[in-house]
Amino acid sequence: MIMSQSNKKIALFGASFNPPHLGHKAAVEFAWKTGLFDEIWIIPVFSHPHGKNLLDCDLRLEMIKLLISEVTIKPLFINTIEKNLGKSPCYSLDIVLALKEQHPDYHFTYILGSDAKKDMPNWYRIDELKKAVDFCYVPRKGYEDSKLPEVSSSQIREQLNQGKSIAGLTSKQVENYLLKHHLYKKEV
């Protein structure tokens, strides 16, 4: 059966990807295996709404491309809507409303780690966001039973800054990119 454009179920996976890692890859694979989605769209944060320092968006996009090149799930796309909106800060609700305007017949679901549930009451206009989009929670250790890798971008940044290995925390391609470009290392 051919899916009409108006019936598409899209999972949105927004994150800083600062840098992307195996936990991000596992979250995408987990969401896909639910069988609930026709496509997964990765949406990198352009400007963090809480002022966190981020590596340039274009560098993070390159690393996301490297990471997802190893994912066998298709269709999997990178969507740069937040960068294209050019709004700072840009909140999840802004993204969802813009996507719904562009694709009024699509059904969107936000992919989140189960750890995000505790912070959701503090999200910008959360009640409107809950009406605009569904949520799919990816289990995270410490919050639910999970077999997904427990890795964080901050862990990778810290290890790079200390000159430690990041093997097994991100893909080999992303690791090589980070090392080649000396990213996340403090200047001496």
Side-chain angles (χ1 to χ4, degrees), residues 130-180:
K130 286 181 176 179
K131 290 176 185 171
V133 70
D134 291 329
F135 295 92
C136 173
Y137 297 100
V138 176
R140 294 280 310 264
K141 288 181 184 169
Y143 298 89
E144 296 177 350
D145 287 337
S146 176
K147 294 180 181 168
L148 302 181
E150 192 61 29
V151 58
S152 70
S153 294
S154 58
Q155 176 186 11
I156 293 172
R157 292 191 308 270
E158 184 177 307
Q159 288 190 210
L160 285 169
N161 186 40
Q162 295 173 358
K164 295 180 180 176
S165 171
I166 58 167
L169 300 178
T170 190
S171 72
K172 192 66 179 164
Q173 289 184 73
V174 172
E175 179 182 359
N176 290 340
Y177 187 91
L178 289 165
L179 296 173
K180 177 182 176 185

Side-chain angles (χ1 to χ4, degrees), residues 12-13 26-27 30-31 34 36-37 109-121 123 126 129-130 133-140 143-146 148:
L12 306 174
F13 185 39
F30 175 89
T34 66
L36 299 173
F37 309 111
T109 301
Y110 236 96
I111 301 172
L112 297 171
S114 58
D115 57 318
K117 287 181 192 179
K118 69 180 183 345
D119 294 326
M120 286 183 76
W123 283 26
I126 187 61
L129 182 62
K130 286 181 176 179
V133 70
D134 291 329
F135 295 92
C136 173
Y137 297 100
V138 176
R140 294 280 310 264
Y143 298 89
E144 296 177 350
D145 287 337
S146 176
L148 302 181

Side-chain angles (χ1 to χ4, degrees), residues 41-95:
W41 295 358
I42 293 177
I43 304 175
V45 168
F46 178 65
S47 174
H48 202 284
H50 303 295
K52 290 184 183 178
N53 287 329
L54 300 175
L55 195 63
D56 179 76
C57 190
D58 290 331
L59 292 172
R60 290 182 287 122
L61 281 169
E62 285 304 312
M63 290 187 284
I64 294 167
K65 289 174 189 173
L66 292 172
L67 183 72
I68 68 171
S69 71
E70 300 178 9
V71 176
T72 58
I73 298 164
K74 305 297 179 217
L76 174 64
F77 303 102
I78 298 172
N79 186 310
T80 58
I81 188 163
E82 184 171 340
K83 181 180 178 185
N84 300 341
L85 288 173
K87 184 178 176 184
S88 184
C90 189
Y91 296 99
S92 298
L93 180 63
D94 299 322
I95 294 164

